[in-house]
Short mmCIF file of all heavy atoms in Angstrom, two decimals:
data_model
loop_
_atom_site.label_atom_id
_atom_site.label_comp_id
_atom_site.label_asym_id
_atom_site.label_seq_id
_atom_site.Cartn_x
_atom_site.Cartn_y
_atom_site.Cartn_z
N VAL A 1 0.84 -1.20 0.00
CA VAL A 1 0.00 -0.01 0.01
C VAL A 1 0.88 1.25 0.00
O VAL A 1 0.64 2.20 -0.77
CB VAL A 1 -0.98 0.00 1.20
CG1 VAL A 1 -1.66 1.35 1.35
CG2 VAL A 1 -1.99 -1.12 1.08
N LEU A 2 1.91 1.28 0.83
CA LEU A 2 2.82 2.41 0.89
C LEU A 2 3.54 2.58 -0.45
O LEU A 2 3.66 3.69 -0.97
CB LEU A 2 3.83 2.23 2.03
CG LEU A 2 4.83 3.38 2.23
CD1 LEU A 2 4.08 4.68 2.53
CD2 LEU A 2 5.77 3.05 3.36
N PHE A 3 3.99 1.49 -1.03
CA PHE A 3 4.68 1.55 -2.32
C PHE A 3 3.75 2.12 -3.38
O PHE A 3 4.15 3.00 -4.15
CB PHE A 3 5.17 0.15 -2.72
CG PHE A 3 5.74 0.12 -4.10
CD1 PHE A 3 6.99 0.66 -4.37
CD2 PHE A 3 5.02 -0.45 -5.14
CE1 PHE A 3 7.50 0.64 -5.66
CE2 PHE A 3 5.51 -0.46 -6.43
CZ PHE A 3 6.76 0.08 -6.69
N LEU A 4 2.52 1.64 -3.44
CA LEU A 4 1.55 2.14 -4.44
C LEU A 4 1.24 3.61 -4.21
O LEU A 4 1.13 4.38 -5.17
CB LEU A 4 0.28 1.29 -4.41
CG LEU A 4 0.43 -0.13 -4.95
CD1 LEU A 4 -0.88 -0.90 -4.75
CD2 LEU A 4 0.79 -0.11 -6.42
N ALA A 5 1.09 4.00 -2.96
CA ALA A 5 0.82 5.40 -2.66
C ALA A 5 1.98 6.28 -3.11
O ALA A 5 1.77 7.35 -3.71
CB ALA A 5 0.55 5.58 -1.17
N LEU A 6 3.20 5.85 -2.84
CA LEU A 6 4.38 6.62 -3.26
C LEU A 6 4.48 6.66 -4.78
O LEU A 6 4.83 7.69 -5.36
CB LEU A 6 5.65 6.04 -2.64
CG LEU A 6 5.83 6.28 -1.14
CD1 LEU A 6 7.02 5.51 -0.61
CD2 LEU A 6 5.99 7.77 -0.87
N LEU A 7 4.18 5.54 -5.42
CA LEU A 7 4.22 5.49 -6.87
C LEU A 7 3.22 6.47 -7.48
O LEU A 7 3.53 7.22 -8.40
CB LEU A 7 3.94 4.06 -7.35
CG LEU A 7 4.03 3.83 -8.86
CD1 LEU A 7 5.46 4.06 -9.35
CD2 LEU A 7 3.61 2.42 -9.20
N LEU A 8 1.99 6.48 -6.95
CA LEU A 8 0.97 7.40 -7.45
C LEU A 8 1.37 8.86 -7.19
O LEU A 8 1.18 9.73 -8.04
CB LEU A 8 -0.38 7.10 -6.81
CG LEU A 8 -1.07 5.83 -7.28
CD1 LEU A 8 -2.30 5.54 -6.42
CD2 LEU A 8 -1.46 5.94 -8.74
N TYR A 9 1.92 9.12 -6.02
CA TYR A 9 2.36 10.47 -5.69
C TYR A 9 3.47 10.90 -6.64
O TYR A 9 3.42 12.00 -7.20
CB TYR A 9 2.85 10.52 -4.24
CG TYR A 9 3.43 11.86 -3.86
CD1 TYR A 9 2.59 12.96 -3.65
CD2 TYR A 9 4.81 12.02 -3.70
CE1 TYR A 9 3.12 14.18 -3.31
CE2 TYR A 9 5.34 13.26 -3.37
CZ TYR A 9 4.49 14.33 -3.16
OH TYR A 9 5.01 15.54 -2.84
N TYR A 10 4.45 10.04 -6.87
CA TYR A 10 5.56 10.36 -7.77
C TYR A 10 5.03 10.60 -9.18
O TYR A 10 5.39 11.55 -9.84
CB TYR A 10 6.60 9.23 -7.78
CG TYR A 10 7.67 9.44 -8.82
CD1 TYR A 10 8.68 10.38 -8.61
CD2 TYR A 10 7.67 8.73 -10.02
CE1 TYR A 10 9.65 10.60 -9.57
CE2 TYR A 10 8.64 8.94 -10.98
CZ TYR A 10 9.64 9.88 -10.74
OH TYR A 10 10.59 10.10 -11.69
N HIS A 11 4.10 9.75 -9.64
CA HIS A 11 3.52 9.90 -10.97
C HIS A 11 2.81 11.25 -11.09
O HIS A 11 2.94 11.93 -12.10
CB HIS A 11 2.56 8.75 -11.28
CG HIS A 11 1.91 8.88 -12.61
ND1 HIS A 11 2.59 8.72 -13.79
CD2 HIS A 11 0.63 9.18 -12.95
CE1 HIS A 11 1.77 8.90 -14.80
NE2 HIS A 11 0.57 9.18 -14.32
N SER A 12 2.07 11.65 -10.07
CA SER A 12 1.36 12.92 -10.13
C SER A 12 2.34 14.10 -10.18
O SER A 12 2.08 15.09 -10.85
CB SER A 12 0.40 13.08 -8.97
OG SER A 12 1.08 13.26 -7.75
N ILE A 13 3.47 13.99 -9.51
CA ILE A 13 4.48 15.05 -9.55
C ILE A 13 5.05 15.14 -10.97
O ILE A 13 5.20 16.21 -11.52
CB ILE A 13 5.59 14.79 -8.52
CG1 ILE A 13 5.04 15.00 -7.11
CG2 ILE A 13 6.76 15.72 -8.75
CD1 ILE A 13 5.99 14.57 -6.02
N VAL A 14 5.39 14.00 -11.55
CA VAL A 14 5.99 13.99 -12.88
C VAL A 14 5.02 14.55 -13.93
O VAL A 14 5.38 15.37 -14.75
CB VAL A 14 6.44 12.56 -13.27
CG1 VAL A 14 6.85 12.48 -14.72
CG2 VAL A 14 7.57 12.11 -12.36
N VAL A 15 3.74 14.15 -13.86
CA VAL A 15 2.74 14.63 -14.81
C VAL A 15 2.55 16.13 -14.64
O VAL A 15 2.53 16.87 -15.61
CB VAL A 15 1.41 13.87 -14.61
CG1 VAL A 15 0.31 14.52 -15.42
CG2 VAL A 15 1.59 12.42 -15.04
N THR A 16 2.44 16.59 -13.39
CA THR A 16 2.27 18.02 -13.14
C THR A 16 3.47 18.79 -13.67
O THR A 16 3.31 19.82 -14.31
CB THR A 16 2.08 18.29 -11.65
OG1 THR A 16 0.94 17.55 -11.22
CG2 THR A 16 1.86 19.75 -11.38
N ALA A 17 4.67 18.29 -13.43
CA ALA A 17 5.87 18.98 -13.91
C ALA A 17 5.87 19.05 -15.42
O ALA A 17 6.22 20.08 -16.00
CB ALA A 17 7.11 18.28 -13.39
N ALA A 18 5.48 17.97 -16.08
CA ALA A 18 5.43 17.98 -17.54
C ALA A 18 4.40 18.98 -18.04
O ALA A 18 4.64 19.72 -18.98
CB ALA A 18 5.12 16.59 -18.06
N ASP A 19 3.23 19.02 -17.39
CA ASP A 19 2.20 19.98 -17.79
C ASP A 19 2.67 21.41 -17.59
O ASP A 19 2.45 22.25 -18.45
CB ASP A 19 0.92 19.74 -16.99
CG ASP A 19 0.23 18.44 -17.36
OD1 ASP A 19 0.51 17.90 -18.44
OD2 ASP A 19 -0.57 17.96 -16.55
N GLN A 20 3.31 21.67 -16.48
CA GLN A 20 3.83 23.01 -16.21
C GLN A 20 4.90 23.38 -17.23
O GLN A 20 4.96 24.52 -17.68
CB GLN A 20 4.38 23.10 -14.79
CG GLN A 20 3.30 23.03 -13.72
CD GLN A 20 2.20 24.06 -13.93
OE1 GLN A 20 1.08 23.71 -14.28
NE2 GLN A 20 2.51 25.31 -13.76
N ALA A 21 5.75 22.43 -17.57
CA ALA A 21 6.80 22.69 -18.55
C ALA A 21 6.18 23.03 -19.91
O ALA A 21 6.65 23.93 -20.62
CB ALA A 21 7.74 21.50 -18.66
N LEU A 22 5.15 22.30 -20.30
CA LEU A 22 4.47 22.57 -21.57
C LEU A 22 3.82 23.95 -21.55
O LEU A 22 3.97 24.72 -22.50
CB LEU A 22 3.42 21.49 -21.85
CG LEU A 22 2.60 21.67 -23.12
CD1 LEU A 22 3.50 21.68 -24.35
CD2 LEU A 22 1.55 20.57 -23.22
N LEU A 23 3.11 24.27 -20.48
CA LEU A 23 2.50 25.61 -20.37
C LEU A 23 3.56 26.70 -20.41
O LEU A 23 3.36 27.74 -21.05
CB LEU A 23 1.69 25.72 -19.08
CG LEU A 23 0.43 24.86 -18.99
CD1 LEU A 23 -0.28 25.09 -17.65
CD2 LEU A 23 -0.51 25.11 -20.14
N ASP A 24 4.67 26.45 -19.76
CA ASP A 24 5.76 27.41 -19.75
C ASP A 24 6.29 27.63 -21.17
O ASP A 24 6.49 28.77 -21.59
CB ASP A 24 6.87 26.93 -18.81
CG ASP A 24 7.88 28.01 -18.52
OD1 ASP A 24 7.47 29.11 -18.10
OD2 ASP A 24 9.08 27.76 -18.72
N LYS A 25 6.50 26.56 -21.91
CA LYS A 25 6.99 26.68 -23.29
C LYS A 25 6.01 27.45 -24.16
O LYS A 25 6.39 28.31 -24.95
CB LYS A 25 7.21 25.29 -23.90
CG LYS A 25 8.44 24.58 -23.44
CD LYS A 25 8.53 23.23 -24.13
CE LYS A 25 9.66 22.40 -23.57
NZ LYS A 25 9.71 21.06 -24.19
N ILE A 26 4.74 27.13 -24.02
CA ILE A 26 3.71 27.82 -24.80
C ILE A 26 3.67 29.30 -24.45
O ILE A 26 3.71 30.16 -25.32
CB ILE A 26 2.33 27.16 -24.58
CG1 ILE A 26 2.29 25.78 -25.22
CG2 ILE A 26 1.20 28.04 -25.10
CD1 ILE A 26 1.11 24.93 -24.82
N CYS A 27 3.58 29.59 -23.18
CA CYS A 27 3.38 30.97 -22.74
C CYS A 27 4.60 31.86 -22.93
O CYS A 27 4.47 33.08 -23.04
CB CYS A 27 2.87 31.00 -21.31
SG CYS A 27 1.19 30.33 -21.18
N LYS A 28 5.78 31.27 -22.99
CA LYS A 28 6.98 32.07 -23.28
C LYS A 28 6.95 32.65 -24.69
O LYS A 28 7.64 33.62 -24.96
CB LYS A 28 8.24 31.22 -23.08
CG LYS A 28 8.64 31.09 -21.63
CD LYS A 28 9.95 30.36 -21.47
CE LYS A 28 10.33 30.32 -19.99
NZ LYS A 28 11.56 29.55 -19.78
N LEU A 29 6.15 32.06 -25.56
CA LEU A 29 6.03 32.56 -26.91
C LEU A 29 4.95 33.63 -27.07
O LEU A 29 4.86 34.29 -28.10
CB LEU A 29 5.75 31.41 -27.89
CG LEU A 29 6.86 30.37 -27.98
CD1 LEU A 29 6.41 29.19 -28.83
CD2 LEU A 29 8.12 31.00 -28.56
N ALA A 30 4.13 33.81 -26.05
CA ALA A 30 3.04 34.79 -26.09
C ALA A 30 3.57 36.19 -25.78
O ALA A 30 4.58 36.34 -25.10
CB ALA A 30 1.95 34.41 -25.10
N GLN A 31 2.86 37.19 -26.26
CA GLN A 31 3.25 38.57 -25.95
C GLN A 31 3.20 38.84 -24.46
O GLN A 31 4.02 39.58 -23.94
CB GLN A 31 2.36 39.56 -26.70
CG GLN A 31 2.71 39.67 -28.16
CD GLN A 31 1.95 40.80 -28.85
OE1 GLN A 31 0.93 41.30 -28.32
NE2 GLN A 31 2.39 41.17 -30.02
N SER A 32 2.20 38.25 -23.80
CA SER A 32 2.11 38.40 -22.35
C SER A 32 2.15 37.01 -21.69
O SER A 32 1.14 36.30 -21.66
CB SER A 32 0.83 39.11 -21.95
OG SER A 32 0.68 39.11 -20.53
N TYR A 33 3.31 36.69 -21.18
CA TYR A 33 3.51 35.40 -20.51
C TYR A 33 2.51 35.23 -19.38
O TYR A 33 1.88 34.20 -19.24
CB TYR A 33 4.95 35.32 -19.99
CG TYR A 33 5.25 34.09 -19.18
CD1 TYR A 33 5.60 32.89 -19.80
CD2 TYR A 33 5.18 34.11 -17.78
CE1 TYR A 33 5.87 31.74 -19.05
CE2 TYR A 33 5.44 32.98 -17.04
CZ TYR A 33 5.79 31.80 -17.68
OH TYR A 33 6.04 30.67 -16.95
N ASP A 34 2.37 36.27 -18.55
CA ASP A 34 1.49 36.19 -17.37
C ASP A 34 0.03 35.99 -17.78
O ASP A 34 -0.69 35.20 -17.17
CB ASP A 34 1.63 37.44 -16.51
CG ASP A 34 3.00 37.52 -15.84
OD1 ASP A 34 3.65 36.46 -15.66
OD2 ASP A 34 3.43 38.64 -15.51
N PHE A 35 -0.42 36.72 -18.80
CA PHE A 35 -1.80 36.57 -19.26
C PHE A 35 -2.03 35.14 -19.77
O PHE A 35 -3.03 34.50 -19.42
CB PHE A 35 -2.13 37.56 -20.37
CG PHE A 35 -3.49 37.38 -20.98
CD1 PHE A 35 -4.61 37.90 -20.35
CD2 PHE A 35 -3.65 36.68 -22.17
CE1 PHE A 35 -5.87 37.71 -20.90
CE2 PHE A 35 -4.91 36.50 -22.71
CZ PHE A 35 -6.02 37.02 -22.08
N CYS A 36 -1.13 34.65 -20.57
CA CYS A 36 -1.23 33.30 -21.12
C CYS A 36 -1.29 32.26 -20.00
O CYS A 36 -2.18 31.41 -19.98
CB CYS A 36 -0.04 33.04 -22.05
SG CYS A 36 0.05 31.35 -22.70
N LEU A 37 -0.33 32.34 -19.10
CA LEU A 37 -0.25 31.35 -18.03
C LEU A 37 -1.48 31.39 -17.12
O LEU A 37 -2.05 30.35 -16.80
CB LEU A 37 1.03 31.56 -17.23
CG LEU A 37 1.51 30.37 -16.42
CD1 LEU A 37 1.78 29.17 -17.31
CD2 LEU A 37 2.79 30.76 -15.67
N SER A 38 -1.91 32.58 -16.75
CA SER A 38 -3.08 32.67 -15.86
C SER A 38 -4.35 32.21 -16.58
O SER A 38 -5.21 31.56 -15.99
CB SER A 38 -3.25 34.08 -15.31
OG SER A 38 -3.60 35.00 -16.33
N THR A 39 -4.46 32.51 -17.87
CA THR A 39 -5.62 32.08 -18.64
C THR A 39 -5.72 30.56 -18.68
O THR A 39 -6.78 29.98 -18.41
CB THR A 39 -5.56 32.64 -20.08
OG1 THR A 39 -5.60 34.08 -20.02
CG2 THR A 39 -6.72 32.14 -20.92
N LEU A 40 -4.61 29.92 -19.01
CA LEU A 40 -4.64 28.46 -19.10
C LEU A 40 -4.73 27.79 -17.76
O LEU A 40 -5.47 26.83 -17.58
CB LEU A 40 -3.39 27.97 -19.87
CG LEU A 40 -3.36 28.35 -21.36
CD1 LEU A 40 -2.05 27.93 -21.98
CD2 LEU A 40 -4.54 27.77 -22.12
N ARG A 41 -4.02 28.31 -16.77
CA ARG A 41 -4.05 27.71 -15.43
C ARG A 41 -5.42 27.85 -14.76
O ARG A 41 -5.84 27.00 -13.97
CB ARG A 41 -3.01 28.35 -14.52
CG ARG A 41 -1.64 27.77 -14.67
CD ARG A 41 -0.77 28.36 -13.60
NE ARG A 41 0.58 27.86 -13.68
CZ ARG A 41 1.59 28.41 -13.07
NH1 ARG A 41 1.43 29.50 -12.34
NH2 ARG A 41 2.80 27.89 -13.18
N ASN A 42 -6.12 28.93 -15.06
CA ASN A 42 -7.41 29.19 -14.43
C ASN A 42 -8.52 28.29 -14.95
O ASN A 42 -9.60 28.25 -14.38
CB ASN A 42 -7.81 30.65 -14.54
CG ASN A 42 -7.01 31.53 -13.61
OD1 ASN A 42 -6.47 31.08 -12.61
ND2 ASN A 42 -6.92 32.81 -13.95
N ASP A 43 -8.27 27.60 -16.05
CA ASP A 43 -9.27 26.70 -16.57
C ASP A 43 -9.01 25.31 -15.99
O ASP A 43 -7.94 24.75 -16.20
CB ASP A 43 -9.22 26.64 -18.09
CG ASP A 43 -10.43 25.93 -18.66
OD1 ASP A 43 -10.56 24.71 -18.42
OD2 ASP A 43 -11.22 26.58 -19.35
N PRO A 44 -9.97 24.74 -15.28
CA PRO A 44 -9.73 23.45 -14.62
C PRO A 44 -9.45 22.28 -15.58
O PRO A 44 -8.87 21.29 -15.19
CB PRO A 44 -11.03 23.19 -13.84
CG PRO A 44 -12.04 24.09 -14.45
CD PRO A 44 -11.31 25.26 -15.04
#
């Protein structure tokens, strides 16, 4: 149970980091990085 919980936790960190990295790459190309990032992050 502990191993599975840690595995799921680690997986969620990796997925979140990948999503954040993708958003970062996209928004760095926008005229307003902050507008882009807040717009995309604010959508669930």
Side-chain angles (χ1 to χ4, degrees):
V1 170
L2 182 60
F3 173 74
L4 289 174
L6 288 173
L7 183 64
L8 288 172
Y9 175 74
Y10 174 75
H11 178 70
S12 70
I13 290 171
V14 171
V15 170
T16 302
D19 291 341
Q20 291 307 110
L22 178 60
L23 292 180
D24 193 53
K25 284 180 187 177
I26 290 168
C27 292
K28 281 185 177 177
L29 296 173
Q31 284 187 344
S32 174
Y33 175 85
D34 292 336
F35 175 81
C36 175
L37 200 59
S38 68
T39 297
L40 292 175
R41 277 188 180 164
N42 285 337
D43 192 295

